[in-house]
PDB file of all heavy atoms in Angstrom:
ATOM      1  N   ILE C  64     -31.311 -56.037  46.078  1.00  0.00           N
ATOM      2  CA  ILE C  64     -31.260 -57.372  45.481  1.00  0.00           C
ATOM      3  C   ILE C  64     -30.401 -57.299  44.225  1.00  0.00           C
ATOM      4  O   ILE C  64     -30.653 -56.486  43.334  1.00  0.00           O
ATOM      5  CB  ILE C  64     -32.674 -57.885  45.121  1.00  0.00           C
ATOM      6  CG1 ILE C  64     -33.566 -57.901  46.363  1.00  0.00           C
ATOM      7  CG2 ILE C  64     -32.595 -59.278  44.497  1.00  0.00           C
ATOM      8  CD1 ILE C  64     -35.010 -58.241  46.055  1.00  0.00           C
ATOM      9  N   GLU C  65     -29.394 -58.149  44.131  1.00  0.00           N
ATOM     10  CA  GLU C  65     -28.517 -58.192  42.968  1.00  0.00           C
ATOM     11  C   GLU C  65     -29.065 -59.147  41.909  1.00  0.00           C
ATOM     12  O   GLU C  65     -29.928 -59.985  42.180  1.00  0.00           O
ATOM     13  CB  GLU C  65     -27.110 -58.636  43.386  1.00  0.00           C
ATOM     14  CG  GLU C  65     -26.405 -57.666  44.324  1.00  0.00           C
ATOM     15  CD  GLU C  65     -25.002 -58.140  44.666  1.00  0.00           C
ATOM     16  OE1 GLU C  65     -24.706 -59.336  44.445  1.00  0.00           O
ATOM     17  OE2 GLU C  65     -24.204 -57.323  45.172  1.00  0.00           O
ATOM     18  N   ASN C  66     -28.535 -58.998  40.697  1.00  0.00           N
ATOM     19  CA  ASN C  66     -28.799 -59.925  39.584  1.00  0.00           C
ATOM     20  C   ASN C  66     -30.266 -59.935  39.158  1.00  0.00           C
ATOM     21  O   ASN C  66     -30.797 -60.957  38.737  1.00  0.00           O
ATOM     22  CB  ASN C  66     -28.350 -61.346  39.942  1.00  0.00           C
ATOM     23  CG  ASN C  66     -28.206 -62.232  38.720  1.00  0.00           C
ATOM     24  OD1 ASN C  66     -27.798 -61.773  37.649  1.00  0.00           O
ATOM     25  ND2 ASN C  66     -28.559 -63.495  38.846  1.00  0.00           N
ATOM     26  N   VAL C  67     -30.921 -58.784  39.243  1.00  0.00           N
ATOM     27  CA  VAL C  67     -32.284 -58.662  38.722  1.00  0.00           C
ATOM     28  C   VAL C  67     -32.201 -58.403  37.217  1.00  0.00           C
ATOM     29  O   VAL C  67     -31.382 -57.601  36.756  1.00  0.00           O
ATOM     30  CB  VAL C  67     -33.046 -57.525  39.428  1.00  0.00           C
ATOM     31  CG1 VAL C  67     -34.426 -57.328  38.803  1.00  0.00           C
ATOM     32  CG2 VAL C  67     -33.161 -57.820  40.911  1.00  0.00           C
ATOM     33  N   MET C  68     -33.034 -59.088  36.445  1.00  0.00           N
ATOM     34  CA  MET C  68     -32.983 -58.967  34.992  1.00  0.00           C
ATOM     35  C   MET C  68     -33.288 -57.529  34.558  1.00  0.00           C
ATOM     36  O   MET C  68     -34.224 -56.904  35.042  1.00  0.00           O
ATOM     37  CB  MET C  68     -33.975 -59.932  34.338  1.00  0.00           C
ATOM     38  CG  MET C  68     -33.907 -59.948  32.819  1.00  0.00           C
ATOM     39  SD  MET C  68     -34.986 -61.218  32.099  1.00  0.00           S
ATOM     40  CE  MET C  68     -34.058 -62.698  32.535  1.00  0.00           C
ATOM     41  N   GLN C  69     -32.450 -57.014  33.637  1.00  0.00           N
ATOM     42  CA  GLN C  69     -32.603 -55.657  33.144  1.00  0.00           C
ATOM     43  C   GLN C  69     -32.238 -55.598  31.678  1.00  0.00           C
ATOM     44  O   GLN C  69     -31.257 -56.212  31.247  1.00  0.00           O
ATOM     45  CB  GLN C  69     -31.732 -54.673  33.937  1.00  0.00           C
ATOM     46  CG  GLN C  69     -31.925 -53.215  33.527  1.00  0.00           C
ATOM     47  CD  GLN C  69     -31.005 -52.271  34.275  1.00  0.00           C
ATOM     48  OE1 GLN C  69     -30.051 -52.692  34.927  1.00  0.00           O
ATOM     49  NE2 GLN C  69     -31.280 -50.976  34.172  1.00  0.00           N
ATOM     50  N   ALA C  70     -33.004 -54.848  30.910  1.00  0.00           N
ATOM     51  CA  ALA C  70     -32.755 -54.718  29.469  1.00  0.00           C
ATOM     52  C   ALA C  70     -31.706 -53.637  29.237  1.00  0.00           C
ATOM     53  O   ALA C  70     -32.012 -52.495  28.871  1.00  0.00           O
ATOM     54  CB  ALA C  70     -34.048 -54.390  28.729  1.00  0.00           C
ATOM     55  N   SER C  71     -30.452 -53.990  29.469  1.00  0.00           N
ATOM     56  CA  SER C  71     -29.348 -53.051  29.300  1.00  0.00           C
ATOM     57  C   SER C  71     -28.121 -53.800  28.825  1.00  0.00           C
ATOM     58  O   SER C  71     -28.040 -55.021  28.929  1.00  0.00           O
ATOM     59  CB  SER C  71     -29.036 -52.315  30.613  1.00  0.00           C
ATOM     60  OG  SER C  71     -28.571 -53.216  31.590  1.00  0.00           O
ATOM     61  N   ASP C  72     -27.155 -53.029  28.301  1.00  0.00           N
ATOM     62  CA  ASP C  72     -25.858 -53.577  27.901  1.00  0.00           C
ATOM     63  C   ASP C  72     -25.964 -54.522  26.714  1.00  0.00           C
ATOM     64  O   ASP C  72     -25.137 -55.421  26.550  1.00  0.00           O
ATOM     65  CB  ASP C  72     -25.182 -54.298  29.074  1.00  0.00           C
ATOM     66  CG  ASP C  72     -23.665 -54.183  28.995  1.00  0.00           C
ATOM     67  OD1 ASP C  72     -23.181 -53.285  28.269  1.00  0.00           O
ATOM     68  OD2 ASP C  72     -22.969 -54.988  29.618  1.00  0.00           O
ATOM     69  N   ALA C  73     -26.976 -54.338  25.866  1.00  0.00           N
ATOM     70  CA  ALA C  73     -27.108 -55.161  24.667  1.00  0.00           C
ATOM     71  C   ALA C  73     -26.290 -54.579  23.530  1.00  0.00           C
ATOM     72  O   ALA C  73     -25.997 -53.383  23.497  1.00  0.00           O
ATOM     73  CB  ALA C  73     -28.577 -55.256  24.251  1.00  0.00           C
ATOM     74  N   ASN C  74     -25.918 -55.439  22.571  1.00  0.00           N
ATOM     75  CA  ASN C  74     -25.225 -54.954  21.381  1.00  0.00           C
ATOM     76  C   ASN C  74     -26.071 -53.952  20.618  1.00  0.00           C
ATOM     77  O   ASN C  74     -25.585 -52.961  20.090  1.00  0.00           O
ATOM     78  CB  ASN C  74     -24.895 -56.134  20.456  1.00  0.00           C
ATOM     79  CG  ASN C  74     -23.756 -56.964  20.990  1.00  0.00           C
ATOM     80  OD1 ASN C  74     -23.163 -56.604  22.000  1.00  0.00           O
ATOM     81  ND2 ASN C  74     -23.441 -58.053  20.328  1.00  0.00           N
ATOM     82  N   ASN C  75     -27.359 -54.253  20.501  1.00  0.00           N
ATOM     83  CA  ASN C  75     -28.286 -53.427  19.746  1.00  0.00           C
ATOM     84  C   ASN C  75     -28.892 -52.379  20.676  1.00  0.00           C
ATOM     85  O   ASN C  75     -29.606 -52.705  21.617  1.00  0.00           O
ATOM     86  CB  ASN C  75     -29.386 -54.310  19.144  1.00  0.00           C
ATOM     87  CG  ASN C  75     -30.306 -53.544  18.234  1.00  0.00           C
ATOM     88  OD1 ASN C  75     -30.312 -52.316  18.203  1.00  0.00           O
ATOM     89  ND2 ASN C  75     -31.099 -54.267  17.465  1.00  0.00           N
ATOM     90  N   GLU C  76     -28.615 -51.089  20.426  1.00  0.00           N
ATOM     91  CA  GLU C  76     -29.101 -50.035  21.294  1.00  0.00           C
ATOM     92  C   GLU C  76     -30.619 -50.026  21.384  1.00  0.00           C
ATOM     93  O   GLU C  76     -31.198 -49.580  22.383  1.00  0.00           O
ATOM     94  CB  GLU C  76     -28.603 -48.673  20.799  1.00  0.00           C
ATOM     95  CG  GLU C  76     -27.160 -48.376  21.163  1.00  0.00           C
ATOM     96  CD  GLU C  76     -26.960 -48.228  22.667  1.00  0.00           C
ATOM     97  OE1 GLU C  76     -27.923 -47.896  23.367  1.00  0.00           O
ATOM     98  OE2 GLU C  76     -25.841 -48.463  23.144  1.00  0.00           O
ATOM     99  N   ALA C  77     -31.303 -50.489  20.328  1.00  0.00           N
ATOM    100  CA  ALA C  77     -32.761 -50.505  20.350  1.00  0.00           C
ATOM    101  C   ALA C  77     -33.292 -51.429  21.439  1.00  0.00           C
ATOM    102  O   ALA C  77     -34.443 -51.294  21.870  1.00  0.00           O
ATOM    103  CB  ALA C  77     -33.308 -50.932  18.988  1.00  0.00           C
ATOM    104  N   MET C  78     -32.471 -52.378  21.898  1.00  0.00           N
ATOM    105  CA  MET C  78     -32.892 -53.310  22.943  1.00  0.00           C
ATOM    106  C   MET C  78     -32.632 -52.759  24.338  1.00  0.00           C
ATOM    107  O   MET C  78     -33.077 -53.320  25.328  1.00  0.00           O
ATOM    108  CB  MET C  78     -32.174 -54.649  22.772  1.00  0.00           C
ATOM    109  CG  MET C  78     -32.455 -55.333  21.448  1.00  0.00           C
ATOM    110  SD  MET C  78     -31.451 -56.817  21.200  1.00  0.00           S
ATOM    111  CE  MET C  78     -32.087 -57.878  22.490  1.00  0.00           C
ATOM    112  N   ASN C  79     -31.912 -51.649  24.433  1.00  0.00           N
ATOM    113  CA  ASN C  79     -31.553 -51.096  25.733  1.00  0.00           C
ATOM    114  C   ASN C  79     -32.636 -50.150  26.240  1.00  0.00           C
ATOM    115  O   ASN C  79     -32.476 -48.930  26.252  1.00  0.00           O
ATOM    116  CB  ASN C  79     -30.208 -50.371  25.651  1.00  0.00           C
ATOM    117  CG  ASN C  79     -29.051 -51.329  25.548  1.00  0.00           C
ATOM    118  OD1 ASN C  79     -29.126 -52.438  26.057  1.00  0.00           O
ATOM    119  ND2 ASN C  79     -27.981 -50.918  24.902  1.00  0.00           N
TER     120      ASN C  79
END
Side-chain angles (χ1 to χ4, degrees):
I64 303 173
E65 296 182 343
N66 197 35
V67 175
M68 185 175 288
Q69 184 183 13
S71 65
D72 212 18
N74 286 355
N75 186 347
E76 282 294 335
M78 299 174 66
N79 286 330

